[in-house]
Amino acid sequence: MLEGLRVLVDPALAGSVLAAALCGVLLGTLSGLTPGLHVNTLAVLLAALASEVPGDPVLVGVVVLAAGVTHSFLDIVPALALGVPDAAMAVTALPGHRLVLAGRGREALRLSALGSATAVALAFVLGVPVTMGMRYVSPWLDAHLPLVLAGVACALVASERTPLARVGAALGVTLSGLLGVLVLDATLAAPLGDGDVLLPLFAGLFGVPVLLAALHGAGVPEQGDAIVESTPRNVGVSALAGSLAGAAVAYVSGVSSAIAATAALGVLPRRENPDRAYVVATSGVNTSNTIFALYAFVSLGAPHTGVLVALDRSGAPLDLPVFLLAVALAAAIAVCLVVTVGDTYLRVVGDMDHRRVVAAVLVLVASLTYVLSGAFGVAVLAAASLLGHLPVWFGARRTCLMGVLLVPLAL
């Protein structure tokens, strides 16, 4: 805490923190705009290099956190611009893709920026009281975690709209859970790093199937104006739901951002376009998650996200004021980057041959998987990619595949 006070009176330290935060913003921007590269992978690599970086160890923590927050803002950009399916498949597409197909991609970027920015403000305000409350709730959750996770899995299945979709969701939870049991504890021999099995798992389950479907689409259509059609009230309610769901991700092991966002949909405004509300809520989950997880780590000693695990491994001292300052700075810059870089990204990808772009992204994902996960990771990517088609066949939501984490943790 004393380090945080020193930042206010020591210009040299303040300059170092600012430089470290800007470095984190740059790294988070690169990772956020790179398809298939998860911020957890970047964070783990940064933590591994922490001992080689000269200077104050707290600056390593600043870089990791600033990168994580920036990535949570910008990963919406390639998600919108790449993997856009054929219009006939819009009903089974991701919500952001449906907005892009309707020519509302620029609006979706701004909705995402609003959701993330509002979530940052709410997380700063709610961080302390929520953490104080979780001091009492966490022991119960830890003691009953298998029951909680089983309830989440049942809710994913029950939330589907048709009997066929519920069957598909049940199969998705079961089969992805079996895949998780088989590979999550595997030891990987990777050319770079210690081997990250989550990269091929999530890229295969959620990324590759969407990209393969996009090969048959027409690419990014011409986008309309950037006017946000959602009301401020609906944006605020969706962002609040996302922020609270982000708290669940931060404090409860095994609950992912996708699962938390799905739960948040239950309290979103009914008159609001569900795709717009989902974009706001999901962005809020991803960003507030990092801040709530920081509070949880400092207070409870529990690193529940990849970024916080990397922070723990880096050995950086836990200085909450400095870290919150870095988070606020990164968020302020990232809001501007989502809009400026995002519009350009959509326009450039829209002008290119989309099949070549998608093919290049598929090659990039496979290459990253080999470099960071090895040959076994490539095999996991192939198996996960096959399983990733299952929800579409049954008309179910892809979130059922989060059984890959729920089932192993429940067992």
Side-chain angles (χ1 to χ4, degrees), residues 175-186:
L175 294 178
S176 64
L178 178 60
L179 179 62
V181 169
L182 292 175
V183 306
L184 277 178
D185 291 330

Side-chain angles (χ1 to χ4, degrees), residues 50-289:
S51 61
E52 307 298 328
V53 178
D56 195 327
V58 76
L59 299 180
V60 176
V62 169
V63 172
V64 171
L65 285 171
V69 170
T70 305
H71 183 107
S72 73
F73 274 79
L74 286 167
D75 60 359
I76 185 70
V77 175
L80 290 177
L82 302 170
V84 178
D86 185 82
M89 295 181 62
V91 69
T92 60
L94 300 175
H97 288 158
R98 287 195 288 268
L99 289 173
V100 173
L101 286 170
R104 304 306 301 167
R106 297 179 66 202
E107 180 192 4
L109 288 171
R110 283 149 182 82
L111 286 169
S112 176
L114 286 172
S116 291
T118 305
V120 169
L122 290 171
F124 269 80
V125 173
L126 300 174
V128 172
V130 168
T131 301
M132 293 176 63
M134 290 304 295
R135 285 179 177 272
Y136 301 98
V137 178
S138 288
W140 184 90
L141 289 174
D142 291 338
H144 300 84
L145 186 59
L147 182 62
V148 173
L149 296 179
V152 172
C154 291
L156 286 175
V157 175
S159 65
E160 296 293 346
R161 297 181 178 180
T162 67
L164 181 61
R166 285 191 284 273
V167 171
L171 284 173
V173 169
T174 303
L175 294 178
S176 64
L178 178 60
L179 179 62
V181 169
L182 292 175
V183 306
L184 277 178
D185 291 330
T187 300
L188 304 185
L192 181 62
D194 297 328
D196 181 10
V197 73
L198 291 180
L199 169 62
L201 270 179
F202 282 96
L205 291 173
F206 300 101
V208 172
V210 175
L211 289 169
L212 291 175
L215 287 172
H216 304 289
V220 177
E222 183 177 352
Q223 298 299 298
D225 58 57
I227 296 175
V228 174
E229 297 181 1
S230 295
T231 65
R233 176 184 179 277
N234 287 339
V235 171
V237 171
S238 300
L240 175 61
S243 296
L244 296 178
V249 177
Y251 293 100
V252 182
S253 300
V255 178
S256 72
S257 297
I259 294 172
T262 300
L265 288 178
V267 298
L268 295 182
R270 293 298 180 184
R271 290 177 295 178
E272 171 74 358
N273 180 297
D275 293 339
R276 291 184 172 89
Y278 189 91
V279 169
V280 174
T282 304
S283 300
V285 169
N286 290 337
T287 303
S288 67
N289 162 34

Side-chain angles (χ1 to χ4, degrees), residues 89 92 168 172 175 203-216 362 381-398 400-401:
M89 295 181 62
T92 60
L175 294 178
L205 291 173
F206 300 101
V208 172
V210 175
L211 289 169
L212 291 175
L215 287 172
H216 304 289
L362 286 169
L381 177 68
S385 299
L386 179 61
L387 182 56
H389 287 86
L390 185 145
V392 176
W393 298 337
F394 287 86
R397 290 193 292 262
R398 297 181 187 275
C400 66
L401 299 177

